[in-house]
Amino acid sequence: MNDRDDDPLILVLNCGSSSIKFALFDAGATPLPRTPAWSGKVEGITGDAPQFSESGGATATLALDRERPYPAALAYLRKRIEARLDGRRIVAIAHRVVHGGSKYFEPVRVDAAVLADLKSYIPLAPLHQPFALEAIDALLAERPSLPQVACFDTAFHQCMPTVEKMLPLPRSAWDQGLRRYGFHGLSYAYQAQVLGERHGDAARGRTIVAHLGNGASLCAMRNLHSVATTMGFSALDGLMMGTRCGALDPGALIYLMEIRKLSLERVGHMLYHESGLLGVSGVSSDLRELLPRESEEPVREALALYVRSIVREVGALVATLGGLDMLVFTAGIGEHQPLIRERVCAGLDFLGVAIDPDANATHAAVISSAASRVRVVVEATNEEWVAATAAATLTRS
């Protein structure tokens, strides 16, 4: 990596179980631009046809090492990024790290001791935590002087009341770290910023943000701070998702293991990878594939259950807030699926929620009708900018 000082860049890495997203931000600009200079991703890393795409470029299929596809994807991205630096240098790397446990409430520069702490939280987020840490570990070994900053999805929810963090288990469980942490915090942190800018005091009342993607959760905010969220101890909690079950009667798990004699590993794989939209429909976890096939009964039932899950959880958060002033849709499904927004809002008409069909169809910033008692908005998320901003702040100080 080149050492030119006048064109610094911050690299953001978002490493998931089957994808790696990256974005490069101009660190020399103040304030930090919200649009990256360049971005891209590798998807389907563990599948038969992993693909690389980048801003301004075509999608390409990759041939990754089948024995070690994830390290191969990371290595490919590093070479691709280095080839495009054009004399500029990376001055910091920001990582989305899902879990900061009960110790890390703010972004932190990672050294060997911090990395060891974060590895101890892998059991709390086995689907996501290992992959971010693998990237950090590799870069620490190769470039120990290059600042790396961990930005935690759990941090945004640390301000929740204690009663919202507690689980109804023996007190010893709390002492062992079993509590509701909340996730998707980088997305919600961005919403807390942009909603205040765009909607002013209207956003500072009783607001619910629906982060609807392959992973999904809701966050209830008051004065743009988290007061409750649907995804609690693990990434399985709350809403039904693409391949994850969401909230589930624990008796069902006891039944699967005690009566059906399924192993813990088998049940874990089922809950994380075979449930949700994929499991109920038997077809796909992707709404873009499911909606055209809604005439098929299992698909229709999966979509109905998905919407019902969101409506039910919104209702619970409305009770927590004591009413609702604003409903926000964000992330892949929230931003791009008007039919899902329409159906969710139809299920909330008892709250006075009403949308303008034309505004909804065109993904307008405000999709509620003039008659709606609740302002309904669509707002893109920008987790990468939140992470890059944190890295810029830490490394400039």
Side-chain angles (χ1 to χ4, degrees):
M1 296 181 185
N2 202 290
D3 289 328
R4 241 172 71 183
D5 291 326
D6 56 344
D7 288 318
L9 294 166
I10 292 175
L11 170 63
V12 180
L13 289 177
N14 184 346
C15 299
S17 57
S18 62
S19 68
I20 304 174
K21 300 176 185 177
F22 74 90
L24 284 154
F25 290 85
D26 183 358
T30 303
L32 197 73
R34 295 193 182 180
T35 301
W38 179 44
S39 62
K41 57 188 174 183
V42 178
E43 296 180 290
I45 292 174
T46 57
D48 295 330
Q51 293 188 321
F52 171 76
S53 59
E54 59 185 336
S55 53
T59 298
T61 300
L62 302 181
L64 300 177
D65 183 345
R66 288 186 174 272
E67 296 297 321
R68 303 180 73 245
Y70 198 88
L74 185 60
Y76 175 84
L77 278 186
R78 290 175 61 191
K79 289 181 180 178
R80 186 81 179 186
I81 291 168
E82 289 176 1
R84 284 281 300 266
L85 286 180
D86 191 27
R88 307 184 72 176
R89 73 178 184 119
I90 294 173
V91 295
I93 302 178
H95 299 266
R96 176 195 173 213
V97 178
V98 168
H99 222 300
S102 54
K103 182 175 182 179
Y104 296 103
F105 305 148
E106 300 288 343
V108 62
R109 182 166 173 174
V110 182
D111 57 20
V114 171
L115 182 60
D117 282 341
L118 300 183
K119 286 182 177 179
S120 73
Y121 303 143
I122 287 176
L124 301 179
L127 194 64
H128 298 91
Q129 193 88 346
F131 303 100
L133 302 189
E134 183 175 340
I136 293 172
D137 207 354
L139 290 164
L140 269 180
E142 187 171 314
R143 294 287 304 276
S145 63
L146 180 62
Q148 296 192 75
V149 175
C151 304
F152 303 102
D153 261 342
T154 50
F156 184 75
H157 303 288
Q158 293 301 321
C159 59
M160 290 193 307
T162 299
V163 69
E164 283 293 338
K165 297 178 184 179
M166 298 183 73
L167 296 171
L169 294 171
R171 175 66 63 170
S172 58
W174 174 271
D175 297 335
Q176 294 164 5
L178 271 76
R179 62 195 66 187
R180 296 178 57 80
Y181 290 97
F183 299 95
H184 296 130
L186 298 186
S187 178
Y188 293 131
Y190 181 73
Q191 296 300 319
Q193 171 92 15
V194 75
L195 291 173
E197 294 170 353
R198 197 181 302 278
H199 301 281
D201 288 342
R204 295 185 175 92
R206 300 164 298 183
T207 294
I208 293 176
V209 179
H211 177 103
L212 305 179
N214 190 50
S217 67
L218 307 175
C219 180
M221 299 183 190
R222 188 178 287 113
N223 198 26
L224 297 173
H225 290 87
S226 176
V227 296
T229 187
T230 56
M231 192 178 278
F233 174 71
S234 78
L236 291 172
D237 198 13
L239 302 180
M240 175 182 172
M241 297 170 242
T243 63
R244 286 172 264 171
C245 57
L248 187 67
D249 182 344
L253 307 183
I254 295 172
Y255 171 83
L256 288 172
M257 290 187 286
E258 187 175 66
I259 307 301
R260 295 279 306 279
K261 305 300 182 184
L262 299 185
S263 68
L264 177 60
E265 292 76 12
R266 180 71 190 91
V267 170
H269 191 273
M270 178 190 298
L271 300 182
Y272 275 110
H273 302 288
E274 299 174 353
S275 300
L277 285 167
L278 173 63
V280 179
S281 72
V283 173
S284 174
S285 63
D286 193 331
L287 284 173
R288 292 169 296 186
E289 297 181 25
L290 294 176
L291 287 169
R293 299 177 61 171
E294 196 168 7
S295 60
E296 301 170 28
E297 185 175 1
V299 173
R300 184 168 60 252
E301 290 176 340
L303 293 170
L305 184 57
Y306 179 76
V307 171
R308 178 66 63 89
S309 169
I310 298 168
V311 170
R312 180 188 293 116
E313 296 291 344
V314 168
L317 292 184
V318 169
T320 300
L321 287 170
L324 184 63
D325 302 309
M326 179 175 285
L327 176 63
V328 184
F329 289 95
T330 192
I333 294 170
E335 295 170 30
H336 302 297
Q337 289 292 347
L339 189 57
I340 297 300
R341 295 195 299 255
E342 176 188 325
R343 292 177 181 180
V344 169
C345 290
L348 299 173
D349 62 352
F350 70 96
L351 294 171
V353 173
I355 62 171
D356 180 310
D358 293 334
N360 184 46
T362 57
H363 313 291
V366 178
I367 62 172
S368 46
S369 70
S372 182
R373 296 202 301 268
V374 176
R375 185 178 298 191
V376 185
V377 307
V378 179
E379 189 65 58
T381 192
N382 198 341
E383 297 164 302
E384 291 79 14
W385 178 79
V386 172
T389 300
T393 301
L394 281 179
T395 55
R396 287 171 183 167
S397 59

